[in-house]
Amino acid sequence: LYTILFIWVMELMHSISQFVVIYVAEAWYFNGSKHSIFSCFVGSEMVKGYCDAMSYHLGSLIFGSFVLTFFRLVRYAVEAGTRAAKNSSNTVMYVLCCICRCCASCLESLARYISRFAYMDVAMNSNGYCEAALHASQLILSSSVGLAVLESTLWLFTFCGTGGSAAASGVVVWLLVTSLPKYSDPTSSTYVADEQSVILAAAIVGCLVALPVLHVFDTVADTMFYCNATYEKRGKVQAAHERQTLLFQVRTVLGDSV
């Protein structure tokens, strides 16, 4: 029970942080983009995001984090069953468990993806989680092609960014341990004997540092896509309303003249 509560709380903390990033990105988009988006993350918009999350949308965030916790626990249970089937040498059961594990992982990834867009709708329209998730699903289905292109680009950017950060960290450390005498001189007290291990550790640290930044970038990019799709949808609805109003006025004038 405590493990479930711990996972739920961790999911809630992540949902609140994700909501704040989404809130700031949407505020920047619809405020005319007068300032740099990075200035919003250090200004009052970020504080407003946390206040709104804790005051008005905490229930939706708790429910969304519970949904994610449920799918994560299902995946954990299936993975435990897979390990047990592997140890029992039951090939048929092991194959079935592997299939179930793949399905559980896909469902968890889909739930996380829909929840991200649901939080965008919650921040923009103040809808409940279920209604926001329905709107998010409709948006994903209606903009599947553009969203697929965006996600492919983001995946490539994340891969290159993570690899680039790891490579840059490794190169910098390699230059330090090979060019500075206090690291390259065997008589020095700070001599680095195993250069490869130090370089590998630096590359891992560079990769871990880049991941949170790229995760925020991914969330902001998806939010920009959602805002643009919503803006275009509202523009089409407004244009249709204006056409209907104009048509009604024309019919009224012609009817009066007759």
Side-chain angles (χ1 to χ4, degrees):
L1 180 61
Y2 290 107
T3 303
I4 296 175
L5 291 177
F6 176 77
I7 296 174
W8 192 358
V9 171
M10 291 298 101
E11 289 288 355
L12 177 60
M13 295 297 103
H14 179 263
S15 296
I16 293 174
S17 301
Q18 193 174 49
F19 176 86
V20 172
V21 173
I22 291 169
Y23 181 93
V24 173
E26 290 182 350
W28 175 82
Y29 183 91
F30 287 105
N31 285 337
S33 308
K34 298 178 181 178
H35 306 286
S36 171
I37 190 172
F38 298 104
S39 63
C40 296
F41 282 99
V42 296
S44 60
E45 294 296 340
M46 196 168 186
V47 178
K48 292 179 182 178
Y50 276 107
C51 292
D52 283 0
M54 302 302 295
S55 302
Y56 303 110
H57 307 298
L58 186 59
S60 298
L61 296 174
I62 290 176
F63 186 80
S65 60
F66 172 77
V67 172
L68 298 178
T69 302
F70 172 78
F71 281 104
R72 174 180 283 198
L73 292 175
V74 170
R75 178 172 60 84
Y76 287 166
V78 173
E79 288 178 350
T82 303
R83 289 192 294 269
K86 184 178 181 180
N87 295 332
S88 64
S89 301
N90 191 333
T91 306
V92 177
M93 184 60 66
Y94 177 68
V95 172
L96 292 176
C97 289
C98 289
I99 295 174
C100 293
R101 183 179 62 179
C102 180
C103 294
S105 299
C106 292
L107 288 175
E108 183 186 3
S109 300
L110 180 61
R112 291 187 180 280
Y113 192 70
I114 293 178
S115 292
R116 177 187 297 184
F117 282 89
Y119 294 152
M120 297 175 192
D121 191 83
V122 170
M124 182 180 297
N125 302 315
S126 296
N127 291 323
Y129 178 84
C130 294
E131 185 178 357
L134 177 61
H135 291 169
S137 301
Q138 293 173 350
L139 175 68
I140 293 173
L141 292 176
S142 61
S143 307
S144 57
V145 177
L147 204 55
V149 174
L150 174 65
E151 294 303 326
S152 300
T153 305
L154 289 176
W155 182 89
L156 181 61
F157 186 85
T158 302
F159 177 79
C160 295
T162 306
S165 177
S169 301
V171 169
V172 170
V173 171
W174 174 75
L175 291 174
L176 291 175
V177 298
T178 55
S179 60
L180 295 181
K182 66 177 181 178
Y183 298 129
S184 59
D185 188 2
T187 60
S188 175
S189 60
T190 57
Y191 170 67
V192 178
D194 191 358
E195 298 178 356
Q196 294 181 352
S197 299
V198 175
I199 294 172
L200 179 60
I204 294 175
V205 171
C207 179
L208 295 177
V209 169
L211 284 177
V213 178
L214 293 172
H215 178 66
V216 173
F217 178 83
D218 185 38
T219 303
V220 172
D222 286 339
T223 306
M224 294 295 103
F225 181 88
Y226 176 83
C227 292
N228 186 67
T230 303
Y231 183 79
E232 291 181 353
K233 182 179 179 180
R234 290 179 178 178
K236 292 179 181 179
V237 172
Q238 183 178 0
H241 177 71
E242 292 176 354
R243 286 195 298 269
Q244 292 293 334
T245 303
L246 180 60
L247 182 61
F248 176 77
Q249 292 175 352
V250 170
R251 288 177 177 176
T252 303
V253 172
L254 292 177
D256 292 339
S257 62
V258 174

